[in-house]
Amino acid sequence: MASLCIDNTIIRERKGWSTLYYQRHREAPVLWEIGASAGDIIKSSKKSRVRRVSDYVVKESLLAGGAGPAKHTFQRGRYRRGWFAAHHLLKNGVLVPEPIAFIERGCLGLVTGNAMVSRFLSGQKNVEAFLGDLIGENAGADTIHLYLGAMANAINQLRACGAYHGDLSGKNIFTADGRRFTFIDLDDVTLDAVFSEEDVMKNHVQLYDSFCDVLSDSIMVPFLEKILPAEADIRVWMPKVRGAQRARREAVEERWAREEETR
């Protein structure tokens, strides 16, 4: 299994039941404090909690019941994905939140949790919100085509370095200017990926679902074609995307209805 000390710029420091991996030029006491701070909760689920601490974001895995320690121990590579992906993507010119530190908790081979510290994306918003601003400013079709074209280039760059993002929805792509794009939720990134048709379809459905409520197919189809493998025919591809997107939306709405009933 690959070492979390990716290269000689990363230092390892042990403290109690926790191990800190951090950039050489950082101060360990500050990073320990950031990792322990309650901060402000940005997002929380059964599996993880994301909080902001000053200029940093801490994404912490949570113990999901009694199986939590076993999952963290025997599937530790899965929980380390974000750390490895961030370094790999940055080295290949793909924009991601700067990886500051990784904290892994446990002892005697048992892993009980971890947290990744990244730079907060100040001044950026997700691409769905940015598109909403463009539409609110009465941007024309040419402007939106340019925006989506730049996003397509960023997605192609992501894939070109062998990275597959399993959740490429608009909420996981950020921008400040509509020209440069930053990818988040990197624990959903697989490196050295072999892209199957199913993988590509999944990404297209995620992106189509993010924008189809506000953009017509006259704009969406050229965008998706830019990130479609050369051997695929967009005329055959798009009906599959639309059908899968409808099924995805229906499944989400059914889940929301079930959750509402249990409240």
Side-chain angles (χ1 to χ4, degrees):
M1 185 175 293
S3 169
L4 287 164
C5 290
I6 294 170
D7 52 37
N8 60 12
T9 67
I10 304 299
I11 295 177
R12 177 182 183 274
E13 180 177 303
R14 184 78 182 174
K15 183 179 180 182
W17 276 51
S18 298
T19 304
L20 172 70
Y21 300 85
Y22 65 101
Q23 298 171 344
R24 184 177 297 276
H25 63 282
R26 302 285 175 186
E27 297 181 5
V30 174
L31 297 175
W32 285 117
E33 184 177 348
I34 290 171
S37 173
D40 298 315
I41 303 297
I42 297 174
K43 183 171 64 173
S44 184
S45 69
K46 295 179 180 178
K47 295 181 180 180
S48 65
R49 180 183 298 118
V50 182
R51 62 188 190 274
R52 181 179 178 183
V53 182
S54 184
D55 294 329
Y56 304 94
V57 170
V58 181
K59 185 169 187 178
E60 178 181 29
S61 65
L62 301 177
L63 294 179
K71 286 184 177 180
H72 281 80
T73 301
F74 296 108
Q75 300 178 26
R76 66 187 67 191
R78 171 183 166 189
Y79 293 95
R80 295 172 170 181
R81 278 181 183 175
W83 177 251
F84 289 118
H87 286 276
H88 175 82
L89 294 173
L90 282 177
K91 287 179 181 178
N92 284 275
V94 178
L95 296 180
V96 300
E98 181 188 2
I100 304 297
F102 189 87
I103 302 170
E104 193 164 75
R105 304 183 183 91
C107 187
L108 301 175
L110 180 69
V111 179
T112 59
N114 56 61
M116 182 166 165
V117 181
S118 304
R119 178 74 65 182
F120 178 73
L121 296 178
S122 180
Q124 298 198 37
K125 59 181 62 176
N126 73 57
V127 293
E128 294 178 21
F130 194 93
L131 175 62
D133 290 346
L134 289 179
I135 293 172
E137 295 165 1
N138 296 316
D142 288 346
T143 298
I144 294 175
H145 276 300
L146 287 173
Y147 172 61
L148 294 178
M151 193 190 310
N153 290 338
I155 292 169
N156 286 333
Q157 186 181 12
L158 174 77
R159 291 178 177 168
C161 68
Y164 171 72
H165 200 309
D167 189 3
L168 202 60
S169 68
K171 290 182 173 58
N172 286 334
I173 310 172
F174 276 61
T175 186
D177 55 15
R179 297 188 300 273
R180 295 172 297 174
F181 298 85
T182 303
F183 298 94
I184 69 166
D185 270 8
L186 302 183
D187 44 0
D188 275 316
V189 171
T190 303
L191 300 179
D192 299 321
V194 177
F195 298 92
S196 67
E197 180 176 307
E198 183 180 356
D199 292 333
V200 178
M201 175 61 69
K202 182 180 178 181
N203 280 171
H204 279 230
V205 171
Q206 290 162 347
L207 290 164
Y208 189 76
D209 193 52
S210 294
F211 301 120
C212 66
D213 290 335
V214 293
L215 295 178
S216 68
D217 274 8
S218 64
I219 292 178
M220 286 299 301
V221 172
F223 166 55
L224 294 180
E225 190 169 20
K226 286 183 172 67
I227 55 175
L228 187 65
E231 64 274 13
D233 186 334
I234 191 68
R235 295 169 297 179
V236 176
W237 187 258
M238 281 307 302
K240 297 178 182 179
V241 171
R242 295 186 191 101
Q245 182 271 329
R246 285 194 296 271
R248 169 188 168 97
R249 186 71 63 90
E250 289 170 1
V252 169
E253 291 174 351
E254 288 175 2
R255 188 182 75 243
W256 286 347
R258 289 195 301 270
E259 291 174 353
E260 186 66 29
E261 289 175 357
T262 59
R263 289 178 185 174

